[in-house]
Amino acid sequence: MHTDADSVTVTPPADAVTSGVRIVGKNGMDLTSAKNGSQIFFQIPEDAAAGSAEVAVQASTTVPVGRAFTSESRSQTQILAGSSESTVSATASATWADKGAIPALSAAEHCAGGGVDITAANEGDQPFTFELLGLEHTVPAGASQTVTIPLQEDQAYDFTITGPAGLDKRFTGVLDCQTQGNETGDTTQTLSEPSPLTVGGTSAGTNLAETGASSVTPVITGVAVALVVIGGAALVLVQRRRTQD
């Protein structure tokens, strides 16, 4: 198993209790969790009839996320930091029989290749032929084959593999290689490309909050001072005239 998570949860087949199928590690002990490089095995009872079983693994991790929010009109940019929980799951199946083809089918996200890998392994003594998306693929005895289905990020997929003896295997999910926010309304930018902020001044035409002062304040002050001076001169003239009379 290959994973970037610290550990993954291993879920045995739903009918494990009744069928006797066990999911074990290399040491033969029951396996409920695993990590990168672990080997997972199906342990089948010796008297089990031909059949198949499926194991599921799931991993989750917290991914740091940062966003810079800017309004369509002029406003202060807001920078927010947080985290997002990302969960990824995968399944693998095993088929056993006394003779003939013994296929094992699995699906895993292939982010580097931009799609989902469908892998078919054949541990039997005869070739195994299966059909996927209208195309037939044949896996020789003792070999394996991987088919990559190209997908876009966040695109849902639903694949069904059919084969001999009534084989009908379905894989569903959503390609999730990146963690993205689902903000609506305001424009969203990543922290690596924040909107520029003005330091030490404002751009022309920017509406600022009213503070009680404006560009006409010096004019008003000058007029007030002039009126006071004129008023003082008038009082002096009146006093002089009264003295002369």
Side-chain angles (χ1 to χ4, degrees):
M1 184 182 63
H2 300 283
T3 177
D4 293 332
D6 294 335
S7 64
V8 299
T9 301
V10 179
T11 303
D15 60 346
V17 176
T18 57
S19 65
V21 177
R22 298 169 55 205
I23 305 301
V24 299
K26 191 175 181 179
N27 57 2
M29 302 295 292
D30 289 334
L31 200 64
T32 58
S33 64
K35 59 182 181 180
N36 186 48
S38 297
Q39 292 181 317
I40 301 177
F41 298 87
F42 289 84
Q43 188 175 84
I44 313 300
E46 293 183 0
D47 58 350
S52 63
E54 182 179 89
V55 61
V57 295
Q58 180 173 307
S60 61
T61 184
T62 300
V63 180
V65 178
R67 293 290 186 269
F69 296 92
T70 60
S71 176
E72 294 180 356
S73 59
R74 293 184 178 274
S75 65
Q76 177 66 46
T77 299
Q78 293 184 347
I79 300 176
L80 303 179
S83 61
S84 175
E85 191 75 12
S86 179
T87 302
V88 178
S89 60
T91 60
S93 62
T95 303
W96 57 91
D98 294 334
K99 60 181 180 179
I102 305 178
L105 303 173
S106 63
E109 292 184 353
H110 186 186
C111 294
V116 172
D117 284 347
I118 305 296
T119 301
N122 180 13
E123 297 297 334
D125 55 7
Q126 294 182 11
F128 166 63
T129 300
F130 65 95
E131 183 175 326
L132 173 62
L133 298 177
L135 297 177
E136 283 193 352
H137 304 271
T138 299
V139 183
S144 64
Q145 182 177 343
T146 298
V147 179
T148 301
I149 308 301
L151 295 171
Q152 299 294 326
E153 176 67 15
D154 294 331
Q155 181 179 349
Y157 59 87
D158 189 345
F159 307 136
T160 299
I161 297 176
T162 58
L167 175 65
D168 189 358
K169 179 66 177 177
R170 183 181 181 186
F171 295 103
T172 62
V174 176
L175 183 63
D176 183 15
C177 295
Q178 300 176 3
T179 304
Q180 299 180 349
N182 295 321
E183 298 82 9
T184 59
D186 290 344
T187 303
T188 304
Q189 296 178 329
T190 60
L191 284 178
S192 60
E193 299 178 355
S195 296
L197 299 179
T198 302
V199 179
T202 57
S203 59
T206 302
N207 296 324
L208 300 178
E210 294 293 339
T211 60
S214 69
S215 59
V216 299
T217 299
V219 177
I220 296 174
T221 304
V223 173
V225 172
L227 291 176
V228 171
V229 173
I230 293 173
L235 290 175
V236 171
L237 291 175
V238 171
Q239 290 177 356
R240 286 183 179 178
R241 287 182 179 181
R242 287 181 179 179
T243 304
Q244 292 175 358
D245 293 341

